Amino acid sequence: MVDANPYGTAVRGLRGYLRQICQAMAVGPEASCWDLDEVATAYVALEGRLPGYPNHDLALIWDEENGWAAALENTTGEDLIVLSYLGIDVLPPPRQVSAFVAELRADRYPGQPEPPELRVAFADDGLEARLSGYASAIPNQPLTGAERRQG
């Protein structure tokens, strides 16, 4: 699990990375949230819908074990329906995430349907150091209401 210290570089890095993902997807940071319960997770609400699912909103979800996945909002408010996992890296560059969504929007369904299990939670595989590289995008200051973690 990522160190949950809200002023630590890993959490600031997760916030900075999530901001870059939002920029790549052309949505504001208010369309995103993150959580640091047992496994670090993030969510980004996307504009528009996929051609094959006109009644469902589209979202990106991320967790520290599987990386990014495209998901549909369920109209009943239940759990998200995962369509596809990007599956290349737990922390891919924002441009790769954007390209993944562009492929989905073109009705090509890239990625893979099953969770890729890119890393084991609690493993010391360098994820915190990689996240820390995104920390400079976020000042070391109290969280705003929009940036407070959920949960």
Side-chain angles (χ1 to χ4, degrees):
M1 178 178 157
V2 172
D3 178 9
N5 174 359
Y7 302 104
T9 56
V11 171
R12 287 193 355 258
L14 176 58
R15 292 168 49 211
Y17 178 65
L18 193 52
R19 276 193 183 177
Q20 289 188 19
I21 293 293
C22 287
Q23 287 174 343
M25 301 309 309
V27 298
E30 67 279 357
S32 68
C33 63
W34 51 275
D35 188 32
L36 296 173
D37 278 339
E38 292 180 27
V39 175
T41 61
Y43 167 92
V44 178
L46 299 177
E47 296 289 329
R49 297 177 176 193
L50 295 178
Y53 301 93
N55 298 322
H56 296 275
D57 290 328
L58 181 61
L60 280 173
I61 56 175
W62 177 87
D63 71 60
E64 68 178 287
E65 294 175 347
N66 298 299
W68 289 103
L72 299 174
E73 296 280 353
N74 194 325
T75 57
T76 61
E78 296 175 15
D79 290 339
L80 297 171
I81 302 165
V82 175
L83 291 176
S84 182
Y85 290 88
L86 179 55
I88 57 172
D89 182 7
V90 74
L91 207 63
R95 71 182 183 288
Q96 285 184 322
V97 178
S98 179
F100 171 66
V101 172
E103 289 288 310
L104 284 166
R105 291 186 190 279
D107 214 17
R108 289 194 276 265
Y109 297 92
Q112 62 189 65
E114 298 299 320
E117 299 178 7
L118 297 168
R119 67 185 294 268
V120 177
F122 311 106
D124 185 14
D125 62 357
L127 177 61
E128 286 199 23
R130 291 177 64 200
L131 279 171
S132 295
Y134 290 94
S136 63
I138 300 292
N140 192 5
Q141 62 189 28
L143 305 176
T144 66
E147 291 179 325
R148 290 187 199 281
R149 71 181 184 156
Q150 304 293 312

